[in-house]
Amino acid sequence: MTDSRTRVLGNIRGSLGRTELSPLSDAPPSVPSPRYRTPLPADLAEQFALQHQQVHGTFEEVDSLLAVPQAVHRHLIGQLVPLEAVISPDPELSSLDWAGLDVESRVASREDRSSVTMAFAGIAETGTLVMVSSKQSPVNHHFLPEFNIAILRQSKLVDTMESLWPLIGEHPRTINLITGPSKTADIEQTIVYGAHGPRTLHIILVRDAVS
């Protein structure tokens, strides 16, 4: 170590009240757990819906998974788009009665206008949708179609992101955290939706028993 470097480092240690170099074996300082300024309400679904709608997302609740096809039907009519969608190849979705809708259970492409997917979880604190990639949940469903509809079970809601990670289990190839529809303000600071993904994100919450 050069004399000048030794002198500079010595000055730094002196300003910090230290006289010697800390050994490499020193234990790292403990990091306190995060404390949230605003307690979340007991009803996580209410908090999730509030946060999701604040980022320009739309939201509907249904009593059971059997009511999902009709909720999808209503949403597509409201968006004035064809009553057709590509659904993720998930057994829960494939087993539903999609009468009145033209659906295909497969991987989405750029030609698909609407997609329906099952969400892995939802984070109530931020209104964030959690999508974990698998054969039943291909990632392109969340990015290619213009209208994305996500089905989220109430029992899959967690309060904060810290509560999410223990649920992940085995390391998936991809985890997508999606908060609202795709948007950008790169051009003249004007918000534009659908710049690099779906123009709308509609979440259908299934009110099931919370374990």
Side-chain angles (χ1 to χ4, degrees):
M1 184 180 295
T2 63
D3 291 341
S4 60
R5 185 179 181 188
T6 301
R7 186 168 55 255
V8 170
L9 293 178
N11 292 337
I12 294 175
R13 287 196 298 275
S15 66
L16 296 175
R18 300 175 182 173
T19 58
E20 298 180 356
L21 289 173
S22 299
L24 295 177
S25 59
D26 278 356
S30 59
V31 179
S33 299
R35 296 182 179 274
Y36 302 99
R37 289 176 290 181
T38 304
L40 298 180
D43 188 351
L44 295 183
E46 176 184 343
Q47 173 70 12
F48 181 89
L50 174 64
Q51 295 300 319
H52 175 65
Q53 290 167 336
Q54 285 185 349
V55 292
H56 203 73
T58 55
F59 185 86
E60 181 180 354
E61 294 183 22
V62 296
D63 293 330
S64 73
L65 197 64
L66 297 177
V68 164
Q70 285 302 312
V72 172
H73 189 279
R74 287 192 296 271
H75 180 68
L76 295 181
I77 287 180
Q79 296 296 319
L80 303 177
V81 296
L83 299 179
E84 57 189 36
V86 56
I87 64 175
S88 55
D90 186 295
E92 287 193 293
L93 292 180
S94 301
S95 63
L96 296 176
D97 181 5
W98 295 95
L101 292 169
D102 182 9
V103 301
E104 293 185 46
S105 179
R106 57 172 172 79
V107 175
S109 69
R110 294 183 182 276
E111 287 70 36
D112 294 309
R113 294 287 304 280
S114 305
S115 63
V116 182
T117 58
M118 288 293 297
F120 177 81
I123 304 174
E125 183 184 31
T126 56
T128 299
L129 203 62
V130 181
M131 310 301 298
V132 174
S133 65
S134 68
K135 291 182 179 180
Q136 292 76 35
S137 181
V139 297
N140 52 9
H141 279 244
H142 325 313
F143 299 107
L144 296 182
E146 185 179 4
F147 301 92
N148 185 208
I149 303 170
I151 314 304
L152 173 63
R153 288 188 177 275
Q154 180 189 1
S155 57
K156 293 291 189 176
L157 284 172
V158 296
D159 52 357
T160 64
M161 186 176 295
E162 287 77 10
S163 301
L164 166 68
W165 305 119
L167 304 180
I168 299 295
E170 295 183 4
H171 297 296
R173 176 175 294 181
T174 304
I175 300 174
N176 287 297
L177 304 178
I178 304 171
T179 306
S182 163
K183 51 188 155 310
T184 184
D186 290 344
I187 303 174
E188 297 183 354
Q189 301 300 303
T190 300
I191 296 292
V192 176
Y193 291 90
H196 47 75
R199 186 158 60 89
T200 69
L201 176 57
H202 182 64
I203 295 179
I204 300 174
L205 180 76
V206 179
R207 285 274 190 179
D208 55 5
V210 179
S211 57

